[in-house]
Each structure stands twice: as C-alpha cells, then as structure tokens.
Amino acid sequence: MCGFVGFLGGNMVADSGVPLLRRMADTIANRGPDDDGYWWDPAHQVGFGHRRLAIVDLSAAGHQPMASAAGRYVIAFNGEIYNHLLLRQRLEAEGLRPAWRGHSDTETLLAGFDAWGIEATVRACIGMFAFAVWDHVGGTLTLGRDRLGEKPLYWGWQGSGADAALIFGSELKALRVHPAFENRIDRGALTLLLRHNYVPAPYSIYAGIAKLAPGHLLTLTPGQRDARSRPYWSALETASAGVAAPFGGTPEQAVNELETLLKDAIGQQMMADVPLGAFLSGGVDSSTVVALMQAQSARPVKTFTIGFHEQGYNEAEHAKAVAAHLGTEHTELYVTAQQAMDVIPRLPTLYDEPFADSSQIPTFLVSQLARRHVTVSLSGDAGDELFCGYGRYAAAGQLWDKIRPLPLPLRQAGAWGVQRIAPASWNSAANLLRRGLGRAAKDSDFGGSMHKRADVLKSDSLATVYHKFVSHLYEPAAAVIGGHEPPTVFTAPPPALAALGAPASMMATDMLSYLPDDILAKVDRAAMGVSLETRVPFLDHRVVEFAWRLPQELKVRDGQAKWALRQVLYRHVPRALIDRPKMGFAVPIRSWLRGPLREWAEALLDADRLRRDGFFEPALIRRQWADHLAGRRNLDSQLWNVLMFNAWLDVQPSHPL
C-alpha cells in the first residue's frame, strides 16, 4: 500500500520536475512512511513521485518508481497483486521471465507489461491497485484502477496554454501543490455531497478533477485533453451476466463453492512480509473473514475491535465472543465519547475531499488501534452489497410494489397534502396522540419521516424510490448557492441496471457508487491516515462474479439476509454468537450536536460565515440548525454534510473560488 503523484506537461524546466514531485508526494507521506522515490523525464515533461509503505519485498528491490526489465515502462503503483507469484510462474512457463531483481508484485506487474501489454496484464491480476505507467516506446501515459475501486486515483487537466498540465495522484491534497491547479469548487459536486454524504465518481469536489472509474484504464499522449477512459472489467456487466446465468447447483453446492472461493481469496490476501491481522465487529461479514483466516493460520490471528459505552452503539462484546470461540489474539479498546469527538478535528485532513459518513470516526479509531500491532488488516466490507444484507433493498422494493398500481397523479396529490403540513406540526400531533394513549413522547422526527414518505410517493420507478431511500437531502440544489445536481447512476441509470429488477438493481447501484465512493473511500483514508494497509477479501473479483450468480433465494431465505454467506460462517462459528439484529458502525452524532459539539457546530454554521463563504443558503441552514437544536427535527445527517464541508474548507491553503 502506497501513494503516488505525477504530472504530464506544464512547461516545466528540466531541473524543476523532481522538486515539485517531492513537494506533491510529501503531502501524502502518511500513505508511505517507509521510502520515497521520484522519476522525471524532461524530454516529455512527465514524472512520478512515490511514497512507499513496504508490505511485500521490504528491500530496496521494491523501490518505486520502478522501470521494467526491458526499460520500456516506468510505473508508480499503489496496492497489492495477490496472485503475482502465479503470474511469475506463467511468465516462466511461457519463456518470458526476466532476470528478477526482487520478489515485489510491482516488478511482476512490469514484467507482465513487457510480455503481454498493459491491459492483458491487468485483466490477469487479482488485487487492489491504482497505478500510473509511462510507455517510452509509445510515448503514452496510462492510468489504471482496480475493478471495484479499492484504491483511489484522481486526475485532470489544469491550467491553459503552455502551462496546461495533466496532474494525478492518490489524494487531492497532492494535486493542490501543483502550480497549474485551479482551485475551483464544483458546486454540482457540493450538491451531490449534500444528497449522499460523499461525492460520487466521476466527480470530485474540484472542477476539472475527476476520479478514475473503477475497472478502467485511461491512456493519453502529452496535450491530449479529450482522452476517455475505457473499461477492462465492468461491475454492471458482471451483475447482468450473473443474473442471466445463475448457479444451477444445490444450495449445499453453492455454499461449498462460496467457501472455497472465499478461503482462496483470503489465503492470497494473507500474503505479507509484515505483521497482519483483521478488523472484527462480531457481525456476519467480519466474522466470516476472521474464521477463514484462522482456519488457514498456524497461529492465532490478531483481531481488533473498538467498543463504546453508549448502549446501541457497542458491538465489542459480540466480537469478543466470536474471537474467543475462534481462538484469535484479540485486542479491544473501549473509547469514550470525548475520545471519539477528539478525532473530528482530524477529519478534514484525513478526508481531503469533503466526506460526511459519520462512521468515519470509529473507522479511524479501529484503524489506529490495529496499527499499534500490525501493518496490514483485512476487513469484511462489501458483504452487504454482494449478498443482499441491507434492509433498504427489501423495504424499497416492497414500497414500490405497493404504490406502483396507484396512478402517479393521485400519488402526487397525496404527497402534496402531506407536505403542506409542516414537520413540526406532524411531530406535535404525534406527541399529542402518544400522550392520549398514555405513552411518553419520543425524540423522533415523525414529521420529517412523513415528508420523506410523501416524497417517495412521487416516484415514477424503482430507481427513483431507491434514490430517495439513500438521499440525505431531497432537494440539495436549493441549499447550494448556484448549485445544480449533475447526473449520477442514481438519476440516469443505464438500461442494463433497470433490467436487473429488484433487488439486484439496487445492489448493483450500490456496487457502482456507494461501495467505492463511500465505504471503500472511508476505510482507505482512515487506515492510510495511520499508515495501515487494509484488504477486502469479498472484493476478489472471482468472489464478486460468483456472488452475482447466486440466485436471490440463496441470498435471502426464510426472511434471513445473506443466507449463503451465513451458512459458510455457521461451519466455523455457532449461530448463537451471530444471529442478532444488524447494528451499524455508528456514533451518536445526533445527541452530540445538541450537547458537547454544539459550540463547534455553531461556529461552522454561523450566519455571517455562511454569507461570507457564499456556498450555502444561510436562511435554510440556520433553520435546519435551529430545528435540530430544539428537537423539532432530527437533522443530524443533513447538518453533518454541511459541517464536514465547512471544516474541510477551513483547512485549505486558501478558500477556493
């Protein structure tokens, strides 16, 4: 796991390339504290900077940027190729093996490029990665990203005329150092942040800077500003192919095949020349990963979890029970609310693009805990997206089935009637009814829920229903001055996505956006903030492809989600330790904003500050803040988006335009 930066063009003088690359790479030193390296070609005005976190081949033979044995290619690489030893065997068998200098997967990748070309090699790889490679023969730069988007890669042309440069890197903070960087906020991306609490690809918070899509390669020549990326693997095509050709064996055969694939994926991902462990929450996904790790390990696996003293937010006791059963070397840390809140000032730097999934806080804390003991940690992320684990899939599908027979104009009229009544009035009526029935008033936003349900009534498709289910703010453009909402996979779904039907279309939508842009980005930035490499076995593309072949009745069976995955786990861990209601990895932001975080939030939401910055409509934001503080509405998720953006804005070198 590493980080890299680079640029192409920009009218640089011969001796200015390496110093600039060094300054860019220094901003992401946390991604690679073990080594740094630079490569600069003044003839083509192209260069790479690299920061290394040494995981495989700790020697100087793993130093980057690295040139291929034939000298044709130079690469800056971030990630791991888990099957690289098998690729070396293939090169040997085909008589294409170079004289190896070391045993790093980067060297293997370059040997593949020399032997088979870039795209053919990437297709043969099992791993997580992002890279930049210069081809001396073709005079081309190629950027690449792994199939599911585990590793980040930002890129874009900035500047004009002779000063125009293509700049790219693992994090935005590195791009900001380049003199061509234009420093302009994309208000459309800001609007998307308010809706989703992350900025979906291909957009970034900066105008002219994009995220390279997962499973894509981008090849261009100096000055080629119209280059378009091309897919070498498609998550949507994988989903469509799996649904069209489902697994035809018995349920037991399906579970056997799934266990075999997962054991192989996890076994490959246990490859490391440094200490390795795993996150363990005690839920289905992380417990499955740890169980299959322990089944293949001669010594106790190191496992890590954090706990909270607040009821409803603590899974540590369940993780401890699973760890005890499996015999892992378990470390847990109970953190106080203050310790969790102490992370908040670090978030704008850790997530150098505004990011507002509040589970970023416990994710950082468990990463910090793990890093004290190991350099690599496996996680159970992606189990919900692949095996139908989210309750919203069933809820959205059932709701659409109920409202679809009703004429749309009738539903729209009903929604209008509900939304004419203010949320606070709905709340008052609900509390009066509760008191009339002898029940205590709840701290709930009944009125807000009524408005959300009414808005769903206006939907004209399942895709629209699901879009609203995952939205934090239904009309974010109204909150952003000059804002507009650009198209996403939610608002402009490809025909193949809709053809999947429910719930597969919703799962595929999450695999295309929520998984890479929220879940994986959250884990990558939190872990790399403490120089910890994370690996996600469920995202081995062979596992993903098989998961999409599983018939729906093997994903949800007898009302139980993730059925096939659970059967694998039950072979290693008793049901009694696992079967319980699903818990989120969350913190009580709602109550914190009304209590210990109130002063911090008030400063960021100050009306004068909002007017001065010019990004948000002050009256609307102040009204939301007042309603939340008074308990009239629970608007913590909407406000957290604004707070995270403004906190991020405060740590930028200068406020973007």
Side-chain angles (χ1 to χ4, degrees), residues 193-216:
L193 173 70
L194 296 194
R195 181 179 289 278
H196 295 288
N197 77 28
Y198 60 89
V199 178
Y203 311 105
S204 86
I205 196 63
Y206 289 117
I209 301 295
K211 301 180 180 82
L212 184 64
H216 277 64

Side-chain angles (χ1 to χ4, degrees), residues 557-604:
R557 192 178 179 95
D558 300 325
Q560 189 175 60
K562 298 192 280 195
W563 183 85
L565 186 61
R566 286 176 181 272
Q567 306 318 302
V568 173
L569 178 58
Y570 294 156
R571 295 175 176 183
H572 302 270
V573 176
R575 291 172 182 251
L577 295 183
I578 299 298
D579 288 353
R580 61 181 185 277
K582 183 179 178 64
M583 292 178 65
F585 199 34
V587 289
I589 293 292
R590 178 177 300 172
S591 59
W592 287 357
L593 289 178
R594 291 175 178 142
L597 290 181
R598 180 170 178 169
E599 184 177 348
W600 168 81
E602 181 64 56
L604 290 170

Side-chain angles (χ1 to χ4, degrees), residues 73 75 108-119 121-122 131 133:
Y73 298 102
I75 194 171
T108 306
L109 194 62
L110 284 167
F113 291 173
D114 275 338
W116 307 312
I118 295 173
E119 184 164 343
T121 301
V122 171
F131 63 80
V133 59

Side-chain angles (χ1 to χ4, degrees), residues 182-425:
E182 296 172 1
N183 210 28
R184 293 185 293 114
I185 292 292
D186 183 336
R187 291 176 186 256
L190 178 55
T191 302
L192 291 173
L193 173 70
L194 296 194
R195 181 179 289 278
H196 295 288
N197 77 28
Y198 60 89
V199 178
Y203 311 105
S204 86
I205 196 63
Y206 289 117
I209 301 295
K211 301 180 180 82
L212 184 64
H216 277 64
L217 297 171
L218 173 71
T219 300
L220 44 75
T221 57
Q224 186 184 0
R225 299 192 69 145
D226 60 348
R228 293 189 177 184
S229 64
R230 64 188 187 278
Y232 65 87
W233 187 89
S234 167
L236 182 53
E237 289 179 6
T238 295
S240 298
V243 171
F247 181 80
T250 66
E252 183 178 7
Q253 289 171 331
V255 173
N256 289 341
E257 180 69 13
L258 178 58
E259 182 171 21
T260 298
L261 283 169
L262 283 172
K263 284 186 72 173
D264 186 60
I266 289 167
Q268 284 192 350
Q269 295 196 21
M270 293 171 70
M271 169 193 72
D273 295 336
V274 293
L276 174 143
F279 299 141
L280 179 61
S281 70
V284 172
D285 304 336
S286 66
S287 297
T288 301
V289 170
V290 170
L292 295 179
M293 287 178 73
Q294 192 59 70
Q296 301 177 77
S297 177
R299 62 184 65 180
V301 171
K302 298 177 185 292
T303 54
F304 307 95
T305 189
I306 59 167
F308 294 94
H309 298 287
E310 292 90 344
Q311 286 295 321
Y313 295 91
N314 182 40
E315 285 192 295
E317 57 191 31
H318 305 299
K320 185 176 182 179
V322 172
H325 175 80
L326 293 173
T328 71
E329 182 182 326
H330 191 58
T331 302
E332 64 179 11
L333 174 67
Y334 274 79
V335 299
T336 66
Q338 186 58 55
Q339 287 173 307
M341 287 185 287
D342 286 345
V343 175
I344 292 173
R346 300 186 62 173
L347 296 178
T349 303
L350 284 169
Y351 296 86
D352 71 335
E353 180 172 53
F355 183 81
D357 180 341
S358 61
S359 63
Q360 61 200 146
I361 297 172
T363 301
F364 173 79
L365 289 168
V366 74
S367 298
Q368 188 178 57
L369 172 65
R371 188 61 178 93
R372 295 171 189 156
H373 305 269
V374 299
T375 310
V376 178
S377 184
L378 275 63
S379 85
D381 290 308
D384 288 309
E385 291 82 0
L386 292 177
F387 299 100
C388 204
Y390 293 128
R392 62 179 181 252
Y393 297 146
Q398 292 166 3
L399 180 58
W400 175 239
D401 287 342
K402 289 178 180 178
I403 68 174
R404 180 171 49 181
L406 299 174
L408 182 58
L410 179 62
R411 289 190 271 120
Q412 290 173 331
W416 178 81
V418 170
Q419 292 179 330
R420 282 198 66 191
I421 303 173
S425 298

Side-chain angles (χ1 to χ4, degrees), residues 127-128 145-146 148-152 520 524 534-536 539:
M128 58 173 185
R145 195 173 179 205
D146 63 67
L148 279 304
E150 291 186 61
K151 294 295 98 190
L520 299 179
D524 174 82
T534 51
R535 300 176 178 178
V536 187
L539 293 184

